């Protein structure tokens, strides 16, 4: 089955530690997105990528980094510079230049120890 | 910049009809999504409007007016399972940036 997979489902970060959230899709989509969701809030865009080896900052990119070395993978690193990382992180993918919907992964809940 | 507004919370009765509004200000509008999200889960797709008008899909309908920067999601014959957050999102620009509103929490009363 085609889809988008996020791992892990739950992740804990210690002070000063960098952690990486995985996102993999086998839908052959060009575009991939990372969103952050705080309790009772909507989704805020962190980074997005339209093509391999290229990505753009979203509205809240500070304290995060990404890479897009392969079409199917778009990992997100939460760095120690992100002082309030506790949130639900959602990865999504879509085909560009079409009317195709955004497909979501099941999310990763990140908490600080 | 972009701005997407929708009501924070709404309450409706089982079996009734509810309309959730969304207004937006963006550059290079390409389309508007509606997603449903239950607590702790990923959003699920409801509708995508590119052209003006109403699109109906079962109990759910979505309307778009590009000139007014306005959309609504209409839910008919409400069921208890429709209690969820409803997210409005806009696709914009040549780089297909997709921005979400803060979502509307819908409470269904028996």
């Amino acid at each position: 089955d085609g889809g988008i997979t996020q791992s892990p489902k739950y992740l804990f970060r210690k002070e000063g530690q960098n952690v990486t959230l995985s996102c993999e899709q086998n839908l052959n989509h060009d575009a991939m997105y990372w969103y952050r969701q705080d309790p009772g809030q909507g989704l805020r865009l962190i980074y997005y990528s339209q093509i391999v080896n290229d990505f753009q900052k979203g509205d809240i990119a500070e304290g995060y980094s990404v890479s897009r070395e392969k079409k199917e993978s778009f990992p997100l690193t939460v760095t120690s510079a992100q002082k309030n990382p506790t949130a639900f992180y959602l990865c999504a993918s879509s085909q560009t230049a079409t009317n195709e919907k955004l497909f979501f992964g099941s999310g990763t809940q990140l908490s600080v120890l | 910049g972009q701005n997407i507004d929708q009501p924070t919370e709404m309450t409706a009765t089982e079996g009734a009809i509810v309309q959730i509004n969304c207004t937006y200000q963006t550059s290079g509008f390409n389309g508007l999504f509606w997603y449903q999200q239950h607590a702790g889960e990923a959003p699920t797709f409801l509708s995508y409007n590119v052209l003006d008008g109403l699109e109906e899909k079962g109990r759910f309908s979505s309307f778009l007016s590009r000139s007014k920067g306005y959309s609504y999601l209409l839910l008919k014959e409400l069921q208890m399972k429709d209690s969820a957050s409803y997210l409005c999102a806009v696709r914009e620009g040549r780089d297909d940036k997709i921005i979400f509103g803060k979502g509307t929490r819908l409470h269904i009363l028996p």
Side-chain angles (χ1 to χ4, degrees):
Chain A
D1 282 339
I4 181 165
T5 303
Q6 286 186 244
S7 62
K9 190 169 179 61
Y10 299 97
L11 186 60
F12 296 91
R13 194 191 87 168
K14 295 179 181 178
E15 289 287 337
Q17 185 183 42
N18 292 354
V19 293
T20 298
L21 285 60
S22 170
C23 179
E24 303 276 330
Q25 53 98 0
N26 60 4
L27 300 166
N28 200 35
H29 284 167
D30 291 315
M32 296 187 75
Y33 304 79
W34 273 106
Y35 293 91
R36 167 182 171 140
Q37 186 172 37
D38 293 281
Q41 301 295 313
L43 279 62
R44 292 188 289 168
L45 183 63
I46 305 173
Y47 269 99
Y48 61 111
S49 167
Q50 302 303 305
I51 196 169
V52 174
N53 292 322
D54 189 33
F55 47 83
Q56 290 78 39
K57 291 182 179 180
D59 298 323
I60 56 165
E62 187 175 349
Y64 299 96
S65 66
V66 292
S67 62
R68 188 83 188 277
E69 296 176 1
K70 298 186 295 183
K71 186 175 185 178
E72 60 269 25
S73 179
F74 191 41
L76 173 74
T77 296
V78 184
T79 74
S80 57
Q82 173 50 248
K83 298 306 179 187
N84 185 23
T86 297
F88 187 50
Y89 290 85
L90 284 160
C91 179
S93 71
S94 177
Q95 194 57 282
T96 56
T98 70
N99 294 333
E100 190 161 329
K101 65 184 180 184
L102 203 57
F103 288 75
F104 281 92
S106 56
T108 294
Q109 176 64 50
L110 175 63
S111 302
V112 177
L113 290 176
Chain B
Q2 68 277 346
N3 191 35
I4 301 172
D5 288 315
Q6 47 182 132
T8 303
E9 284 189 88
M10 297 182 71
T11 301
T13 305
E14 191 177 15
I17 298 173
V18 69
Q19 177 175 312
I20 303 174
N21 295 326
C22 173
T23 58
Y24 63 88
Q25 293 174 313
T26 63
S27 54
F29 176 83
N30 293 332
L32 187 143
F33 295 96
W34 282 98
Y35 277 82
Q36 180 192 62
Q37 187 182 28
H38 287 96
E41 298 180 8
T44 54
F45 173 78
L46 293 177
S47 67
Y48 183 47
N49 293 66
V50 177
L51 302 176
D52 290 352
L54 183 69
E55 294 208 6
E56 298 184 73
K57 195 182 295 184
R59 294 190 299 115
F60 293 4
S61 303
S62 57
F63 172 83
L64 175 66
S65 168
R66 289 172 296 171
S67 62
K68 295 182 179 178
Y70 168 69
S71 173
Y72 67 73
L73 179 70
L74 191 71
L75 292 75
K76 302 176 186 176
E77 301 169 17
L78 286 169
Q79 302 175 9
M80 296 305 292
K81 67 178 182 180
D82 297 329
S83 290
S85 288
Y86 290 86
L87 309 176
C88 173
V90 173
R91 183 179 234 150
E92 64 168 15
R94 282 183 290 180
D95 58 358
D96 259 0
K97 189 176 182 181
I98 299 177
I99 300 296
F100 283 78
K102 294 185 177 180
T104 299
R105 285 190 299 280
L106 177 63
H107 305 279
I108 308 297
L109 303 176

